[in-house]
Amino acid sequence: ALWPAVQRPTMLSRATHFIRPFASMAATGAGAGARGMDVWPVSKVRQQFVDYFIAKEHTHVKSSPVVPHNDPTLLFANAGMNQFKPIFTGQVDPASPMAEWKRAANSQKCIRAGGKHNDPE
């Protein structure tokens, strides 16, 4: 291994390291408004995210159903990229609008399930 076991960064420690500086800026709880912070509902955060990428010339793709209708390999959407699977596997119909996408943005509804293969070590 390149890193000694004691110093090896984990996915969780990297995420915590990234998020920690922003924690003090979080506007959550009833006291956020009293501190002069705008409290954004989740729908506004989601829309700001999508609008940013639309402004950067990404095609907005609506969230697909949580239970996929056209993919028998999935019981439910477990990641935001599931609806782009035909592109990644090279199975997209060349006549489909999906074949013309160069950049895409969405906020995909999904179900995250923990377990042996999904949890960071």
Side-chain angles (χ1 to χ4, degrees), residues 4-65:
V6 183
Q7 296 177 352
R8 183 179 308 133
T10 64
M11 186 67 82
L12 182 59
S13 67
R14 284 189 296 241
T16 304
H17 177 72
F18 175 77
I19 293 169
R20 191 171 290 133
F22 300 101
S24 63
M25 297 166 45
T28 58
R35 293 190 304 267
M37 301 175 89
D38 289 337
V39 178
W40 286 10
V42 171
S43 59
K44 184 172 181 177
V45 173
R46 187 178 302 118
Q47 191 60 54
Q48 290 287 318
F49 173 84
V50 172
D51 288 347
Y52 172 84
F53 287 102
I54 290 172
K56 304 285 184 189
E57 301 181 7
H58 288 64
T59 300
H60 178 241
V61 180
K62 290 188 177 187
S63 180
S64 61

